[in-house]
Each structure stands twice: as C-alpha cells, then as structure tokens.
C-alpha cells in the first residue's frame, strides 16, 4: 500500500480542527466489483502519487471506497445552501466522502473525495451513489477546464462499481475520485451562520489558514477574506463567460470559496451563441442562464457576506459598508477581467475607448446568427488584417448579413491602430480562443461509449481537451459543432 502513495492521504484531515457539527465521520460503503475506468496520470504526478501503483487492485479498492487506507478517518461535510433562491438549512455531502487531504508537489493541500461512495448522514432520500454517465461527464469537464487554464476541481480517477443505480432507469454505477483545493462552499458559511458568530469565526479562520494564510496579517483579516473570495469569484466567472461555459446550477452550495469551478451537473459549453442560453432541465426560469452568471455570483457573494457580517465590524453600519465594498470589488474585478479578456479574444493588445462596444457588436451578430461560440472566435483568430479567402470560413458561421461585413471593416480598422505584428496578433488570439471545448454531444457520446466498455472517445477527448489551443488535425472532428440531429439542448443534474 505504501508504494501507491495512497498512504499519503490516510490522514486525519485538517478539516477535523473544526467542531464536530461541521462534518460526520463516515466510511465509504463498499461496492461489489470495482474496476478502474480512468486514471488521471498527470494529476497523480502533480499530487506526488505513483500512477502505476494506483492501478493495483489494492489501490483501486481504495479509490472505490472498498478499503480505507489504514489510519484514515473519512468524513462527509455538512453545509447548507440557497437552491434556486430558496434557503435549505441542511444539505451536506449526501453521496461523497472526504477520504483525506494530500500535499501536492506544488506544496498545495488538496482534498481527495470519493463521489458516489454511498450513504452518509446527509443523504436524505438519496442512495448515495452516482451513475457512470455523469461521472464521465464530470471527469471530462474538470480536464476541459484545467486545459483552458480555468480553476477547477479535477478527477484523479473514475471507478465502475459493478452495481446498478436507478435514475430511474438502470444505469451502471461509478465513483469519481475528486480532487479540490477544498470542498468549502458559500453554503458551508451559511451552515455555520445558523450556529452563531463563533462557528462562522472558526470557519473563516480555517479558510484563511488553508487558502490565504497571508490574510492573517491583514489589518482586518475577515474583510480581507471576503474581498479575496469576491476577487477569486469574479475572475472565475469572467473566465467562464469568455469560453461560453454555463455552470447550470449556481446554488450557493455549489460555489467554492477557493474560487474553483465545482459540481459539474447540468453544465454546458454553448455551441450556438445566445446570451440567454439555458441548458439545465430544471432551470425553467432561466435563473442560471449564461448571461445571468455574473449577477448570480454577486447574489451568492451577498449571501456569504451576510453570514460574515458579525465579523466585519463591531458596528452594524461599518460591517454593512465593508460587505458592500467587497461586492463592489467583485463587480469591478469582473468587468475589468471580462473586458480585457474579450479584447484579447478579438486580438487587441491595448485597450482603447470603443473596444468593449466593438466586442459587444460581434457578440450581438453571433447571437443574431446563432454562430458557434467557440468556432467564431477561433476562426476570427485566423483572419489577417487584410480581407483574404480565410474570411469565408469565418463568414460561413453566420448567415450573410451586411452587419457582419460592417463589423469586419470596423474590426480591421481598429487592428490598424495596433502596434503588434499581425502574425503575433493571430498567435495571441489562438492562445486564448480554444479550438476545442467539451461540447455536450461529445461528452454524452464518450459517456455512452465508456458504458459499453469503449474508452476511445473519452481518451481522444482528453487528448484534445488537455491541449485545446492546438489544432490536432487528426482529431479535428472533436472541434466540430453538433449536426442538427446530434445537438443536445438539455442537460441534467447528476443525481
Ligand atoms: P447537487 O445537485 O449534486 O449539488 O446535490 C445537491 C444535494 O443533494 C447535495 O447535498 C448532495 O449531496 C445531495 N445528493 C445529490 N445526489 C444524491 C444521491 N444520489 N444520494 C444522496 N444525496 C444526494
Ligand atoms: Mg452540489
């Protein structure tokens, strides 16, 4: 066992420094026939684990939850949350068990959690299990985000259980071995707040020590913490908006205070662009539509700020104005990041007046024509500053319209004011406009194939998603938008 390195996570998680109301001690429930479906070798290396040894049956037994490493004390974490705006005081890990924490080679501490590991005290009516399809989708999503350079939880492995889950039809069961900077959510603060100021303070102190130890020396550590989380969240949501990502279920219990994308359920990368796009089958009101995400992130941060009010100032009005200033920081940071990112996507190296309008005009044209979000920016990256035959590949994504021609002319005029060489501009655009994102029909196709034992689509996708800014001509099909008969417009929670 020691050779697998899994002993490294057989520890008492630092999370246990928190009072017992924050978690429940629970062991994973064994499964009948665990088999390793996928192992994330690059991530294993980053964590300092021996990837080959992780394929041993003994290690696979640990990854499936059949065997806890000696000395490990697995936990299910308690949290609350606002789900679609309504407060639920007690949620918690209903189908996930924190196996332990591990220090990576980079010196960062991470949680290793088994998702789908059986019932916990927080399971309510759920079975504690996960079907293979959503496990494969979450595995791919984490790798897609990591490849794009967007903070995310990632899968170290996926294991099939040999058991059946009913959703409501029978599906093969699986366990996702999820690695996260931590699993502390805004909902964890909402849970603590119900237990009073002391509990919130303990949690805030733990978050500072774990995620931002420098803040302990700030003039006002708790205000600094709220600012810090607001900043990370702004950067995260801006990066989502710049790749056409829709989280789909931005409930406060699905928002990490470490600024990572977490809980891939009904998420999607848009194919055809429209700002109001919704994929989630349960999001009938469009609360979590693509263009609502910055507003919802601010709403979620306001819920976080409310839990922290007693820590933000002795006087109520001081505390409230500190909270407001963090929310303003969120709005400023989001807008700055988003505007700068859009400018880069259209090839501008310096920011000038009118740039935001120029980018907005392209998005408006894309929305009108239903152009593919990813391909529109990728193909724009190949256009030169003079009209050329390459223009046609870009035009083909739109129905021909005078507005598009007018936009191309203004864009080229604006490029004329750039000091950068045109080939450098194209290379810089290709470095921010991916050729590959995890399109929903591809994720579903890979999940279906994996369920019948065919790993090739998943492996092919992982190859392009780990390096999404290169063209990969031999796997170019994975960059293609869905044909009308392949398009999927609804996604589902993993429950
Ligand atoms: P999610 O929609 O995945 O964010 O889950 C919302 C809540 O439901 C969390 O507390 C989960 O732990 C819980 N949950 C989801 N699926 C299950 C399941 N199959 N069994 C038990 N709890 C679940
Ligand atoms: Mg969740």
């Amino acid at each position: 066992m020691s050779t697998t390195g899994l002993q490294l996570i057989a520890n008492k998680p630092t999370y246990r420094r928190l009072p017992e109301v924050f978690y429940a001690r629970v062991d994973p429930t064994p499964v009948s026939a665990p088999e390793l479906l996928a192992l994330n070798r690059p991530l294993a290396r980053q964590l300092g684990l021996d990837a080959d040894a992780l394929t041993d049956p003994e290690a696979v037994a640990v990854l499936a939850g059949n065997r806890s490493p000696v000395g490990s004390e697995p936990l299910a974490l308690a949290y609350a949350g606002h789900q679609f705006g309504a407060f639920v005081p007690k949620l918690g890990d209903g189908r996930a068990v924190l196996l332990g924490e591990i220090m990576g080679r980079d010196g960062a501490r991470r949680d290793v959690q088994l998702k789908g590991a059986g019932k916990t005290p927080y399971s309510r009516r759920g079975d504690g299990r996960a079907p293979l399809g959503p496990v494969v989708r979450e595995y791919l999503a984490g790798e897609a985000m990591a490849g794009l350079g967007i903070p995310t939880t990632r899968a170290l492995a996926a294991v099939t259980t040999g058991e059946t889950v009913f959703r409501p039809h029978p599906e093969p069961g699986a366990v996702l071995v999820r690695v996260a900077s931590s699993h502390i959510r805004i909902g964890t603060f909402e849970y603590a707040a119900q237990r009073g100021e002391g509990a919130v303070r303990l949690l805030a102190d733990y978050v500072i020590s774990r995620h931002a130890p420098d803040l302990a020396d700030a003039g006002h550590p708790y205000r600094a913490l709220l600012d810090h989380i607001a900043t990370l969240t702004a950067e995260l949501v801006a990066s989502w908006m710049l790749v056409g990502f829709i989280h789909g279920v931005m409930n406060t219990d699905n928002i990490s205070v470490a600024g990572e994308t977490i809980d891939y359920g009904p998420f999607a990368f848009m194919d055809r662009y429209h700002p109001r796009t919704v994929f989630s089958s349960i999001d009938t009101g469009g609360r979590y539509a693509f263009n609502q995400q910055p507003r919802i992130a601010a709403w979620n941060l306001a819920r976080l700020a409310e839990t922290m009010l007693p820590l933000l100032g002795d006087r109520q009005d001081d505390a409230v104005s500190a909270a407001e200033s963090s929310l303003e920081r969120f709005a400023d940071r989001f807008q700055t990041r988003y505007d700068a990112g859009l400018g880069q996507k259209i090839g501008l190296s310096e920011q000038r007046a009118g740039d935001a309008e120029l980018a907005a005009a392209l998005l408006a044209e894309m929305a009108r024509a239903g152009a593919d979000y990813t391909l529109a920016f990728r193909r724009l990256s190949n256009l030169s500053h003079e009209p050329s035959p390459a223009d046609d590949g870009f035009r083909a994504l739109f129905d021909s319209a005078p507005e598009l021609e007018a936009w191309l002319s203004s864009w080229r005029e604006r490029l004329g004011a750039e000091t950068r060489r045109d080939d450098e501009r194209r290379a810089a655009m290709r470095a921010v406009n991916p050729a590959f994102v995890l399109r929903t029909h591809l994720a579903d196709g890979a999940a279906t194939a994996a369920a019948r034992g065919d790993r090739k689509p998943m492996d092919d996708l992982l190859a392009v998603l780990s390096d999404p800014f290169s063209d990969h001509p031999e796997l170019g099909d994975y960059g293609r938008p869905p044909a009308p008969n392949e398009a999927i417009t609804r996604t589902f929670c993993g429950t």
Side-chain angles (χ1 to χ4, degrees):
M1 178 61 58
S2 58
T3 54
T4 66
L6 277 169
Q7 212 53 47
L8 293 172
I9 52 174
N11 55 22
K12 184 166 169 170
T14 61
Y15 203 79
R16 291 199 69 182
R17 290 185 203 148
L18 289 169
E20 273 182 45
V21 289
F22 280 95
Y23 57 81
R25 259 283 294 124
V26 56
D27 289 315
T29 309
V31 299
S32 58
E35 262 183 60
L36 189 61
L37 174 75
L39 175 67
N40 192 337
R41 288 175 175 269
L43 181 60
R45 274 192 293 277
Q46 205 179 320
L47 296 176
L49 298 173
D50 175 348
D52 286 329
L54 284 175
T55 63
D56 287 352
E58 279 187 18
V60 174
V62 172
L63 299 174
N66 277 18
R67 209 184 131 148
S68 288
V70 181
S72 71
E73 295 189 354
L75 309 178
L77 311 192
Y79 49 85
H82 277 86
Q83 300 191 311
F84 289 89
F87 186 60
V88 184
K90 196 173 171 206
L91 286 164
D93 291 333
R95 54 164 166 169
V97 172
L98 175 67
L99 201 58
E101 297 164 6
I102 188 167
M103 290 294 264
R105 287 192 175 167
D106 50 7
R109 175 179 296 274
R110 291 185 182 80
D111 280 4
V112 178
Q113 187 201 59
L114 305 183
K115 185 169 175 180
K119 285 189 188 164
T120 77
Y122 312 111
S123 297
R124 293 171 291 165
R125 285 182 302 279
D127 61 0
R129 293 299 186 191
L132 176 61
V135 163
V136 170
R137 275 169 46 88
E138 178 157 354
Y139 189 119
L140 290 169
E143 294 314 285
M145 284 299 200
L148 291 166
I150 299 176
T152 181
T153 63
R154 292 175 75 177
L156 172 63
V159 180
T160 51
T161 61
E163 295 177 359
T164 302
V165 294
F166 295 88
R167 292 291 184 277
H169 305 291
E171 292 182 46
V175 172
L176 183 83
V177 184
R178 181 160 80 175
V179 174
S181 284
S182 82
H183 285 85
I184 304 168
R185 305 128 193 276
I186 290 182
T188 317
F189 276 83
E190 293 178 292
Y191 177 84
Q194 300 172 87
R195 274 139 200 95
E197 180 186 334
V200 180
R201 189 179 297 274
L202 288 171
L203 179 61
D205 288 340
Y206 177 72
V207 172
I208 290 175
S209 72
R210 177 140 179 200
H211 290 306
D214 294 349
L215 300 186
D217 304 323
H220 202 306
Y222 302 121
R223 289 184 188 176
L225 176 63
L226 184 59
D227 266 353
H228 176 70
I229 298 171
T231 303
L232 294 179
T233 308
E235 289 169 1
L236 181 67
V237 176
S239 62
W240 292 353
M241 301 303 286
L242 293 166
V243 295
F245 177 78
I246 307 169
H247 182 284
V249 59
M250 286 176 72
N251 294 334
T252 54
D253 52 297
N254 291 336
I255 302 298
S256 159
V257 300
E260 287 178 340
T261 317
I262 186 170
D263 272 2
Y264 295 95
F267 74 93
F269 286 86
M270 261 183 293
D271 299 305
R272 291 168 72 86
Y273 174 67
H274 197 286
R276 288 196 301 274
T277 304
V278 177
F279 273 82
S280 171
S281 58
I282 56 171
D283 189 7
T284 47
R287 178 181 171 89
Y288 300 137
F290 177 68
N291 67 351
Q292 294 301 303
Q293 298 185 117
R295 199 181 63 77
I296 288 292
W299 190 90
N300 289 341
L301 287 167
R303 302 292 78 73
L304 173 65
E306 282 164 7
T307 70
M308 290 178 70
L309 275 183
L311 312 187
L312 297 178
D314 293 334
R315 291 189 13 223
Q316 172 85 3
D317 53 346
D318 276 354
V320 169
S321 69
E324 282 168 356
S325 98
S326 285
L327 292 175
E328 275 164 32
R329 177 180 289 249
F330 166 84
D332 288 350
R333 179 62 75 111
F334 171 78
Q335 207 59 51
T336 308
R337 281 294 168 120
Y338 181 70
D339 288 346
L342 262 188
Q344 287 181 328
K345 284 180 83 72
I346 62 170
L348 307 179
S349 61
E350 300 136 31
Q351 283 183 283
R352 296 180 183 232
D355 287 353
E357 290 75 11
L358 183 66
L362 173 61
L363 287 171
E365 202 43 33
M366 286 164 57
R368 195 193 50 73
D372 185 79
Y373 184 90
T374 304
L375 285 191
F377 287 106
R378 183 71 179 181
R379 291 196 185 164
L380 184 69
S381 312
N382 295 328
L383 300 200
S384 97
H385 63 304
E386 298 285 355
S388 82
D391 292 6
D392 291 338
F394 176 70
R395 273 198 195 99
L397 300 169
F398 298 78
D399 40 15
S400 63
E403 290 87 346
L404 183 68
E405 300 309 318
W407 187 83
L408 279 170
S409 310
S410 2
W411 177 64
R412 289 194 158 113
E413 201 174 303
R414 172 64 185 81
L415 288 184
E418 286 281 301
T419 49
R420 187 161 59 171
R421 275 193 2 227
D422 207 47
D423 57 341
E424 287 172 7
R425 188 261 309 161
R426 286 197 297 270
M429 285 178 74
R430 279 195 296 272
V432 295
N433 292 320
F436 299 93
V437 291
L438 181 59
R439 295 178 185 274
T440 306
H441 71 293
L442 297 177
D444 281 24
T448 310
R452 49 162 206 270
D454 175 8
R455 267 287 307 270
K456 182 151 182 358
M458 189 175 172
D459 287 338
D460 285 351
L461 263 178
L462 288 169
V464 296
L465 295 174
S466 65
D467 178 23
F469 299 104
S470 300
D471 281 322
H472 302 279
E474 71 294 356
L475 294 170
D477 229 26
Y478 291 99
R480 180 175 67 68
N485 66 329
E486 296 169 319
I488 294 172
T489 54
R490 282 283 163 267
T491 48
F492 299 88
C493 290
T495 55

